[in-house]
Amino acid sequence: MKKFKYKFNTVTYVLMGLCLALAVVALILNTYYLCKNGISSAANVVYPILQYALTYFVALAVLLLLISLLISSYYSVTNEYFTTCFGIIKSKYKVQDIDYIVLDKSNPKKKDRLAVYFNNETYIVVVVKPEWFDAFTDALMEANPSIRYDIESGEPKPPEDSGPSKKD
């Protein structure tokens, strides 16, 4: 099995860091208020219990989700399956269902984009380091040699019939 780590951009890392920090702050503040005020200070005991429990649940869920995204986001290729794992979300596709791979270099202002197209006309954009594009496509083509590989460069293609033309 060959694994290729998911490549997050800088903005995504910053947003994840901010969300992780907010979740930790929520846990700390919730614990502080629980220790300081307790639940018996309210007229109705049910409201503080729900408030503290919900705050703990949401903060812990955010922490677990973001940590799983950072640790377990990758693509893997075996002889049978192409797997995408985005944190706790995992999808498996049969390598035999892959029709072709396209490396899109047509937009010079944006980074190159690698897409995997399936027989049922769906596709996945693969987000890995550009240095890994060749190794990734090689792994897929090794598992299924019938996969086509195309590069779109944005340059005009020559006409189909490029032979000499006859003028009347």
Side-chain angles (χ1 to χ4, degrees), residues 56-128:
Y56 278 121
F57 176 76
V58 170
L60 287 173
V62 167
L63 277 172
L64 291 175
L65 179 68
L66 291 175
I67 289 171
S68 75
L69 283 175
L70 291 170
I71 292 173
S72 180
S73 292
Y74 62 88
Y75 302 97
S76 69
V77 178
T78 64
N79 287 336
E80 282 187 58
Y81 293 104
F82 164 54
T83 306
T84 62
C85 189
F86 191 67
I88 58 174
I89 302 168
K90 196 174 205 177
S91 301
K92 274 188 173 182
Y93 307 94
K94 290 185 176 183
V95 174
Q96 299 305 318
D97 291 342
I98 298 174
D99 191 19
Y100 59 96
I101 303 168
V102 175
L103 177 58
D104 186 4
K105 295 182 169 202
S106 62
N107 192 345
K109 293 182 182 180
K110 291 188 177 182
K111 293 184 178 180
D112 297 344
R113 191 177 99 164
L114 188 66
V116 175
Y117 289 84
F118 297 95
N119 295 336
N120 61 1
E121 298 181 10
T122 59
Y123 69 95
I124 296 174
V125 176
V126 177
V127 186
V128 294

Side-chain angles (χ1 to χ4, degrees), residues 18-39:
L18 287 173
C19 290
L20 284 169
L22 286 174
V24 169
V25 167
L27 288 172
I28 291 170
L29 286 177
N30 199 41
T31 304
Y32 171 75
Y33 287 128
L34 181 62
C35 292
K36 182 179 176 194
N37 300 332
I39 56 172

